[in-house]
mmCIF file of all heavy atoms in Angstrom:
data_model
loop_
_atom_site.group_PDB
_atom_site.id
_atom_site.type_symbol
_atom_site.label_atom_id
_atom_site.label_comp_id
_atom_site.label_asym_id
_atom_site.label_seq_id
_atom_site.Cartn_x
_atom_site.Cartn_y
_atom_site.Cartn_z
ATOM 1 N N HIS I 59 40.604 -8.421 117.999
ATOM 2 C CA HIS I 59 40.303 -9.227 119.187
ATOM 3 C C HIS I 59 41.196 -10.459 119.268
ATOM 4 O O HIS I 59 41.681 -10.822 120.339
ATOM 5 C CB HIS I 59 38.822 -9.630 119.202
ATOM 6 C CG HIS I 59 37.916 -8.523 119.595
ATOM 7 N ND1 HIS I 59 37.833 -8.023 120.862
ATOM 8 C CD2 HIS I 59 37.050 -7.789 118.855
ATOM 9 C CE1 HIS I 59 36.968 -7.037 120.920
ATOM 10 N NE2 HIS I 59 36.468 -6.874 119.703
ATOM 11 N N ARG I 60 41.407 -11.116 118.139
ATOM 12 C CA ARG I 60 42.230 -12.326 118.159
ATOM 13 C C ARG I 60 43.684 -12.003 118.483
ATOM 14 O O ARG I 60 44.323 -12.709 119.245
ATOM 15 C CB ARG I 60 42.147 -13.068 116.821
ATOM 16 C CG ARG I 60 42.709 -14.451 116.910
ATOM 17 C CD ARG I 60 41.902 -15.283 117.904
ATOM 18 N NE ARG I 60 42.642 -16.431 118.361
ATOM 19 C CZ ARG I 60 42.354 -17.124 119.442
ATOM 20 N NH1 ARG I 60 41.301 -16.816 120.176
ATOM 21 N NH2 ARG I 60 43.070 -18.152 119.797
ATOM 22 N N MET I 61 44.188 -10.918 117.921
ATOM 23 C CA MET I 61 45.576 -10.556 118.202
ATOM 24 C C MET I 61 45.736 -10.091 119.647
ATOM 25 O O MET I 61 46.775 -10.349 120.273
ATOM 26 C CB MET I 61 46.061 -9.493 117.212
ATOM 27 C CG MET I 61 46.172 -10.003 115.781
ATOM 28 S SD MET I 61 47.070 -11.580 115.585
ATOM 29 C CE MET I 61 48.717 -11.106 116.133
ATOM 30 N N THR I 62 44.712 -9.452 120.198
ATOM 31 C CA THR I 62 44.751 -9.100 121.618
ATOM 32 C C THR I 62 44.826 -10.367 122.460
ATOM 33 O O THR I 62 45.578 -10.435 123.437
ATOM 34 C CB THR I 62 43.516 -8.258 122.002
ATOM 35 O OG1 THR I 62 43.563 -7.040 121.275
ATOM 36 C CG2 THR I 62 43.471 -7.977 123.492
ATOM 37 N N ARG I 63 44.082 -11.394 122.069
ATOM 38 C CA ARG I 63 44.127 -12.665 122.807
ATOM 39 C C ARG I 63 45.513 -13.309 122.711
ATOM 40 O O ARG I 63 46.045 -13.793 123.706
ATOM 41 C CB ARG I 63 43.058 -13.630 122.275
ATOM 42 C CG ARG I 63 43.042 -14.961 122.972
ATOM 43 C CD ARG I 63 42.674 -14.826 124.447
ATOM 44 N NE ARG I 63 42.629 -16.139 125.061
ATOM 45 C CZ ARG I 63 43.014 -16.383 126.296
ATOM 46 N NH1 ARG I 63 43.422 -15.393 127.080
ATOM 47 N NH2 ARG I 63 42.966 -17.592 126.789
ATOM 48 N N LEU I 64 46.111 -13.293 121.522
ATOM 49 C CA LEU I 64 47.453 -13.861 121.381
ATOM 50 C C LEU I 64 48.474 -13.065 122.195
ATOM 51 O O LEU I 64 49.430 -13.629 122.731
ATOM 52 C CB LEU I 64 47.866 -13.912 119.908
ATOM 53 C CG LEU I 64 47.056 -14.853 119.019
ATOM 54 C CD1 LEU I 64 47.587 -14.822 117.589
ATOM 55 C CD2 LEU I 64 47.034 -16.275 119.562
ATOM 56 N N HIS I 65 48.243 -11.769 122.326
ATOM 57 C CA HIS I 65 49.106 -10.937 123.163
ATOM 58 C C HIS I 65 48.916 -11.297 124.634
ATOM 59 O O HIS I 65 49.885 -11.424 125.382
ATOM 60 C CB HIS I 65 48.794 -9.456 122.917
ATOM 61 C CG HIS I 65 49.648 -8.540 123.711
ATOM 62 N ND1 HIS I 65 49.191 -7.885 124.828
ATOM 63 C CD2 HIS I 65 50.944 -8.163 123.559
ATOM 64 C CE1 HIS I 65 50.159 -7.150 125.322
ATOM 65 N NE2 HIS I 65 51.230 -7.297 124.578
ATOM 66 N N GLU I 66 47.660 -11.474 125.063
ATOM 67 C CA GLU I 66 47.384 -11.868 126.447
ATOM 68 C C GLU I 66 48.024 -13.212 126.778
ATOM 69 O O GLU I 66 48.476 -13.435 127.904
ATOM 70 C CB GLU I 66 45.877 -11.954 126.683
ATOM 71 C CG GLU I 66 45.181 -10.614 126.692
ATOM 72 C CD GLU I 66 43.658 -10.741 126.626
ATOM 73 O OE1 GLU I 66 43.131 -11.866 126.412
ATOM 74 O OE2 GLU I 66 42.993 -9.697 126.761
ATOM 75 N N LEU I 67 48.062 -14.114 125.799
ATOM 76 C CA LEU I 67 48.676 -15.425 125.988
ATOM 77 C C LEU I 67 50.201 -15.359 125.906
ATOM 78 O O LEU I 67 50.874 -16.375 126.055
ATOM 79 C CB LEU I 67 48.154 -16.412 124.936
ATOM 80 C CG LEU I 67 46.701 -16.833 125.084
ATOM 81 C CD1 LEU I 67 46.237 -17.606 123.857
ATOM 82 C CD2 LEU I 67 46.511 -17.663 126.355
ATOM 83 N N ARG I 68 50.724 -14.175 125.649
ATOM 84 C CA ARG I 68 52.163 -13.922 125.585
ATOM 85 C C ARG I 68 52.845 -14.655 124.438
ATOM 86 O O ARG I 68 54.008 -14.996 124.504
ATOM 87 C CB ARG I 68 52.807 -14.220 126.932
ATOM 88 C CG ARG I 68 52.255 -13.288 127.998
ATOM 89 C CD ARG I 68 52.655 -13.583 129.387
ATOM 90 N NE ARG I 68 54.100 -13.643 129.533
ATOM 91 C CZ ARG I 68 54.694 -14.202 130.581
ATOM 92 N NH1 ARG I 68 53.974 -14.707 131.548
ATOM 93 N NH2 ARG I 68 56.000 -14.226 130.659
ATOM 94 N N LEU I 69 52.089 -14.858 123.367
ATOM 95 C CA LEU I 69 52.650 -15.463 122.160
ATOM 96 C C LEU I 69 53.212 -14.395 121.229
ATOM 97 O O LEU I 69 54.113 -14.672 120.437
ATOM 98 C CB LEU I 69 51.571 -16.270 121.434
ATOM 99 C CG LEU I 69 51.049 -17.472 122.216
ATOM 100 C CD1 LEU I 69 49.769 -17.991 121.600
ATOM 101 C CD2 LEU I 69 52.106 -18.546 122.287
ATOM 102 N N VAL I 70 52.662 -13.199 121.312
ATOM 103 C CA VAL I 70 53.132 -12.078 120.493
ATOM 104 C C VAL I 70 53.366 -10.874 121.384
ATOM 105 O O VAL I 70 52.771 -10.745 122.458
ATOM 106 C CB VAL I 70 52.135 -11.717 119.362
ATOM 107 C CG1 VAL I 70 51.930 -12.887 118.406
ATOM 108 C CG2 VAL I 70 50.810 -11.225 119.908
ATOM 109 N N GLU I 71 54.225 -10.023 120.916
ATOM 110 C CA GLU I 71 54.439 -8.714 121.538
ATOM 111 C C GLU I 71 53.977 -7.694 120.514
ATOM 112 O O GLU I 71 53.894 -7.989 119.315
ATOM 113 C CB GLU I 71 55.916 -8.537 121.879
ATOM 114 C CG GLU I 71 56.243 -7.275 122.637
ATOM 115 C CD GLU I 71 55.458 -7.087 123.921
ATOM 116 O OE1 GLU I 71 54.321 -6.563 123.818
ATOM 117 O OE2 GLU I 71 55.954 -7.430 124.997
ATOM 118 N N ARG I 72 53.650 -6.502 120.964
ATOM 119 C CA ARG I 72 53.130 -5.512 120.035
ATOM 120 C C ARG I 72 53.635 -4.120 120.396
ATOM 121 O O ARG I 72 54.045 -3.868 121.526
ATOM 122 C CB ARG I 72 51.610 -5.536 120.024
ATOM 123 C CG ARG I 72 50.976 -5.126 121.333
ATOM 124 C CD ARG I 72 49.486 -5.330 121.310
ATOM 125 N NE ARG I 72 48.902 -4.905 122.575
ATOM 126 C CZ ARG I 72 47.631 -5.038 122.870
ATOM 127 N NH1 ARG I 72 46.796 -5.584 121.992
ATOM 128 N NH2 ARG I 72 47.167 -4.625 124.026
ATOM 129 N N PHE I 73 53.583 -3.259 119.413
ATOM 130 C CA PHE I 73 53.921 -1.862 119.615
ATOM 131 C C PHE I 73 53.143 -1.044 118.597
ATOM 132 O O PHE I 73 52.649 -1.568 117.605
ATOM 133 C CB PHE I 73 55.436 -1.616 119.482
ATOM 134 C CG PHE I 73 55.981 -1.896 118.105
ATOM 135 C CD1 PHE I 73 56.036 -0.899 117.138
ATOM 136 C CD2 PHE I 73 56.445 -3.162 117.775
ATOM 137 C CE1 PHE I 73 56.533 -1.155 115.873
ATOM 138 C CE2 PHE I 73 56.954 -3.434 116.509
ATOM 139 C CZ PHE I 73 56.998 -2.430 115.556
ATOM 140 N N ARG I 74 53.057 0.232 118.873
ATOM 141 C CA ARG I 74 52.444 1.178 117.938
ATOM 142 C C ARG I 74 53.514 2.176 117.547
ATOM 143 O O ARG I 74 54.189 2.730 118.403
ATOM 144 C CB ARG I 74 51.278 1.922 118.588
ATOM 145 C CG ARG I 74 50.064 1.081 118.762
ATOM 146 C CD ARG I 74 48.941 1.914 119.311
ATOM 147 N NE ARG I 74 47.711 1.158 119.249
ATOM 148 C CZ ARG I 74 46.609 1.510 119.855
ATOM 149 N NH1 ARG I 74 46.550 2.625 120.566
ATOM 150 N NH2 ARG I 74 45.532 0.764 119.761
ATOM 151 N N SER I 75 53.625 2.410 116.268
ATOM 152 C CA SER I 75 54.577 3.416 115.817
ATOM 153 C C SER I 75 53.887 4.771 115.787
ATOM 154 O O SER I 75 52.675 4.856 115.626
ATOM 155 C CB SER I 75 55.118 3.058 114.432
ATOM 156 O OG SER I 75 54.065 3.066 113.499
ATOM 157 N N LEU I 76 54.680 5.804 115.943
ATOM 158 C CA LEU I 76 54.144 7.161 115.878
ATOM 159 C C LEU I 76 54.185 7.634 114.438
ATOM 160 O O LEU I 76 55.206 7.544 113.775
ATOM 161 C CB LEU I 76 54.954 8.103 116.754
ATOM 162 C CG LEU I 76 54.840 7.877 118.248
ATOM 163 C CD1 LEU I 76 55.777 8.825 118.994
ATOM 164 C CD2 LEU I 76 53.413 8.098 118.721
ATOM 165 N N ARG I 77 53.064 8.115 113.949
ATOM 166 C CA ARG I 77 52.982 8.681 112.602
ATOM 167 C C ARG I 77 52.388 10.066 112.717
ATOM 168 O O ARG I 77 51.262 10.216 113.193
ATOM 169 C CB ARG I 77 52.081 7.824 111.709
ATOM 170 C CG ARG I 77 52.686 6.509 111.358
ATOM 171 C CD ARG I 77 51.726 5.795 110.463
ATOM 172 N NE ARG I 77 52.496 5.105 109.447
ATOM 173 C CZ ARG I 77 51.950 4.494 108.426
ATOM 174 N NH1 ARG I 77 50.660 4.530 108.256
ATOM 175 N NH2 ARG I 77 52.700 3.856 107.566
ATOM 176 N N ALA I 78 53.142 11.030 112.287
ATOM 177 C CA ALA I 78 52.686 12.426 112.327
ATOM 178 C C ALA I 78 52.191 12.800 113.717
ATOM 179 O O ALA I 78 51.165 13.453 113.863
ATOM 180 C CB ALA I 78 51.598 12.658 111.277
ATOM 181 N N GLY I 79 52.910 12.339 114.748
ATOM 182 C CA GLY I 79 52.560 12.687 116.114
ATOM 183 C C GLY I 79 51.413 11.893 116.704
ATOM 184 O O GLY I 79 51.025 12.109 117.834
ATOM 185 N N ARG I 80 50.844 10.961 115.931
ATOM 186 C CA ARG I 80 49.735 10.133 116.420
ATOM 187 C C ARG I 80 50.170 8.684 116.454
ATOM 188 O O ARG I 80 50.975 8.254 115.638
ATOM 189 C CB ARG I 80 48.532 10.257 115.485
ATOM 190 C CG ARG I 80 47.954 11.645 115.437
ATOM 191 C CD ARG I 80 46.772 11.744 114.502
ATOM 192 N NE ARG I 80 45.903 10.574 114.575
ATOM 193 C CZ ARG I 80 45.176 10.130 113.556
ATOM 194 N NH1 ARG I 80 45.215 10.733 112.405
ATOM 195 N NH2 ARG I 80 44.417 9.076 113.694
#
Side-chain angles (χ1 to χ4, degrees):
H59 284 289
R60 193 62 200 162
M61 293 311 296
T62 297
R63 180 64 178 144
L64 294 181
H65 181 256
E66 290 168 352
L67 290 170
R68 297 172 55 197
L69 296 166
V70 299
E71 185 55 275
R72 65 187 181 184
F73 64 90
R74 286 184 170 168
S75 63
L76 292 176
R77 289 181 141 187
R80 296 180 40 209

